[in-house]
Amino acid sequence: MRLAATTRRFSTITVVGAGLMGSGIAQVAAQNGHDVNLVDQTDELLQGADRRIRSSLERVAKKTFPDDVTKAKDFLEKSTSRLNYSTNALSAAAQSNLVIEAIVENMETKQKLFQDLDSAAPKHTVFASNTSSLSISRIASATQRKDRFGGLHFFNPVPVMKLVEVVRTAETSQETFDYLTEFGKSVGKKPVSCRDTPGFIVNRLLVPYLMEAIRMLERGMHVIALEIEIYTLSFIIGDATAEDIDTAMKLGAGHPMGPIQLLDYVGLDTTKFIMDGWHDLVPDEALFQPSDLLNKLVAEGKLGNKTGQGFYKH
Ligand code: 3HC
């Protein structure tokens, strides 16, 4: 169906999921003039998102208006006034022209959410998922609006990273794709167009690279593990130490973070989830093999920056 002309102005946007990604998306939308409903299941989660957004907006304000306290204050007030927090996804979607989902990476949970949103949102409302590795067309299959469905994949930290991947399925209409691209630009991002393939562009290249860095650590380390029974990171030397791998990629390849640092930053559970999903899809692909070390750290709850311990202590 054709999108009503008014939808081109985006008006109210709903972001479902107030975690790191969802709150980042809501923030950049609000700071760029959109009215945003940010939805999650509990007030506590929403309060956490509010704190995160305010602190990030302060950093943006300081950077954008370094010498003008009044403008910085005005920017903060206007941005926060455009944010509305809610625990009711259906009533939020009912007032929105665009709904972006950034909830847990679970196909069934996402499909159930979109099925419910589909019956609550107006016909013209466009749906997008911020999934990092699941199939957009499978998520969209739970709805009756596959032509008005696409992917909008942002990067962490959303307020800083300048890219958004706009993902089209075989059924995404050109109009929906253009609309999502326009939205990406309106929140200050550079959109790139991707087909609905595992990992789109960035994660398809980045995640195997991160896994290769883990394998570099793992090589040779099991010998030490056998000798001392527990292997803590100070004993993991592999082909190189974590610190040297990170230094090498920062200074030798100009990356802002080394791969081991980035693994901790992204979350080891996230990387494991992506890799396990791809391994199930293509079990023979050498780049998609699981890692014992990654599995062990995740099983121990060492998920990276967010838990205070991953490959490094934070
Ligand atoms: N909100 C607002 N501003 C922020 C911010 C935030 N959350 N985080 C950092 N900044 C700003 C800081 O204020 C600072 O501004 P300044 O230059 O004016 O001082 C600037 O960004 C740099 O921050 P820091 O000085 O604190 O730290 P760094 O220079 O080390 O930069 C970083 C931090 C931007 C995270 C940088 O290390 C980086 O770009 N790392 C790589 C991140 C990356 O690769 N992300 C993609 C991950 S993959 C992904 O998300 C996909 C998913 O599907 C898995």
Side-chain angles (χ1 to χ4, degrees):
M1 83 175 267
R2 285 191 67 74
L3 303 174
T6 50
T7 64
R8 303 214 71 78
R9 292 172 53 245
F10 306 110
S11 326
T12 303
I13 289 149
T14 288
V15 179
V16 187
L20 215 53
M21 296 305 287
S23 57
I25 297 165
Q27 177 191 328
V28 294
Q31 77 187 49
N32 284 287
H34 300 296
D35 290 321
V36 185
N37 294 316
L38 180 56
V39 179
D40 214 319
Q41 287 173 331
T42 66
D43 288 334
E44 205 183 356
L45 290 169
L46 294 173
Q47 281 156 11
D50 183 46
R51 277 195 297 276
R52 196 161 43 240
I53 291 174
R54 281 175 193 277
S55 133
S56 177
L57 280 172
E58 275 167 23
R59 292 172 84 171
V60 176
K62 224 180 249 173
K63 192 171 176 171
T64 317
F65 309 103
D67 306 316
D68 196 329
V69 180
T70 314
K71 278 194 181 153
K73 197 163 165 257
D74 187 52
F75 167 83
L76 269 176
E77 280 171 5
K78 284 205 170 112
S79 302
T80 48
S81 73
R82 293 188 197 108
L83 278 160
N84 171 50
Y85 295 94
S86 167
T87 50
N88 189 333
L90 302 192
S91 71
Q95 324 149 11
S96 300
N97 290 330
L98 172 62
V99 178
I100 304 170
E101 166 273 315
I103 65 167
V104 60
E105 287 283 83
N106 177 289
M107 179 59 74
E108 278 166 28
T109 314
K110 285 186 196 287
Q111 285 180 330
K112 171 76 175 75
L113 172 71
F114 275 116
Q115 195 175 26
D116 293 345
L117 292 172
D118 199 28
S119 52
K123 281 266 175 290
H124 69 261
T125 301
V126 171
F127 287 175
S129 172
N130 177 61
T131 181
S132 53
S133 67
L134 298 176
S135 156
I136 301 288
S137 55
R138 273 192 66 200
I139 304 172
S141 69
T143 72
Q144 302 300 314
R145 62 181 85 207
K146 300 183 192 70
D147 57 327
R148 281 151 286 144
F149 204 117
L152 273 179
H153 184 220
F154 290 85
F155 296 85
N156 184 25
V158 180
V160 179
M161 304 307 282
K162 296 190 173 63
L163 185 74
V164 61
E165 292 176 323
V166 184
V167 186
R168 63 199 307 173
T169 71
E171 292 178 275
T172 307
S173 72
Q174 184 62 40
E175 204 166 352
T176 298
F177 176 77
D178 292 344
Y179 178 79
L180 293 175
T181 301
E182 207 180 308
F183 174 74
K185 288 184 192 162
S186 79
V187 298
K189 304 300 176 197
K190 168 75 187 162
V192 289
S193 163
C194 311
R195 283 201 307 119
D196 184 22
T197 56
F200 316 127
I201 299 174
V202 171
N203 280 345
R204 180 61 182 81
L205 297 172
L206 182 65
V207 177
Y209 153 71
L210 297 178
M211 292 300 293
E212 282 299 286
I214 301 175
R215 285 189 247 284
M216 196 173 263
L217 269 182
E218 268 178 327
R219 275 195 287 271
M221 98 180 207
H222 56 280
V223 176
I224 296 166
L226 274 180
E227 280 170 9
I228 60 169
E229 285 187 344
I230 48 156
Y231 41 100
T232 60
L233 274 189
S234 43
F235 294 102
I236 294 177
I237 46 170
D239 286 350
T241 63
E243 288 82 0
D244 280 353
I245 294 171
D246 283 340
T247 302
M249 291 312 288
K250 282 192 281 188
L251 303 188
H255 291 192
M257 279 179 176
I260 308 296
Q261 264 183 308
L262 187 54
L263 279 154
D264 273 7
Y265 188 73
V266 165
L268 304 193
D269 51 338
T270 304
T271 303
K272 174 174 158 53
F273 177 83
I274 295 173
M275 199 30 67
D276 288 351
W278 295 354
H279 178 62
D280 288 347
L281 278 180
V282 196
D284 294 336
E285 171 57 64
L287 289 173
F288 297 169
Q289 295 309 306
S291 145
D292 288 344
L293 175 57
L294 180 63
N295 290 347
K296 178 178 169 10
L297 290 170
V298 172
E300 290 169 352
K302 295 175 181 163
L303 307 183
N305 296 34
K306 61 185 166 191
T307 58
Q309 165 95 57
F311 286 97
Y312 293 112
K313 270 207 162 67
H314 298 275

